[in-house]
């Protein structure tokens, strides 16, 4: 059997270990907070879409119009806009969407 009076190992620098642990914990807390915010927005979106189903269709049309206008304004000819001009802001209303 091994002698139980073996020399004790020298204590490791626990200050660095504690700092590393604190950094890891802070990183994990930030990740959890980020996930919590994302889940909150997802829940909000679900409630908004269930309350007003036409909201999703309106948002898709708005996004499509935005992309068309962006292509026309930026002059990016690689992407062909579906219409030649952007709709006038006064001509587009929420009721039309």
């Amino acid at each position: 059997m091994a002698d139980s009076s073996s020399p004790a190992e020298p204590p490791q620098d626990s200050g660095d270990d504690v700092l590393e642990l604190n950094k890891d914990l802070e990183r994990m807390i930030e990740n959890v907070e980020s996930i919590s915010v994302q889940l909150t927005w997802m829940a909000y979106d679900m409630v908004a879409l269930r309350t007003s189903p036409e909201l999703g269709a309106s948002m898709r049309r708005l996004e499509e119009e935005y992309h068309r206008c962006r292509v026309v304004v930026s002059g990016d000819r690689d992407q062909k806009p579906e219409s030649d001009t952007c709709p006038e802001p006064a001509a587009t209303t929420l009721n039309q969407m």
Side-chain angles (χ1 to χ4, degrees):
M1 273 191 116
D3 186 48
S4 62
S5 63
S6 62
E9 294 182 19
Q12 302 228 346
D13 190 287
S14 65
D16 289 339
D17 291 340
V18 170
L19 289 176
E20 178 104 14
L21 179 63
N22 283 341
K23 288 179 185 178
D24 289 342
L25 288 173
E26 286 179 22
R27 218 173 299 125
M28 284 190 266
I29 290 170
E30 288 175 5
N31 289 338
V32 169
E33 288 174 350
S34 177
I35 291 170
S36 175
V37 168
Q38 290 173 357
L39 287 173
T40 302
W41 278 112
M42 287 172 61
Y44 174 81
D45 289 344
M46 286 180 63
V47 169
L49 288 174
R50 287 186 179 185
T51 304
S52 178
E54 64 273 357
L55 179 64
S58 296
M59 291 302 292
R60 281 189 292 279
R61 282 194 291 270
L62 181 62
E63 188 174 3
E64 289 169 3
E65 291 299 323
Y66 165 77
H67 288 298
R68 283 189 214 135
C69 287
R70 185 175 173 120
V71 167
V72 170
V73 169
S74 68
D76 188 3
R77 297 299 173 196
D78 293 337
Q79 297 178 353
K80 179 129 174 133
E82 293 179 21
S83 63
D84 291 339
T85 61
C86 293
E88 291 296 321
T92 305
T93 63
L94 290 176
N95 293 339
Q96 290 175 335
M97 295 181 166

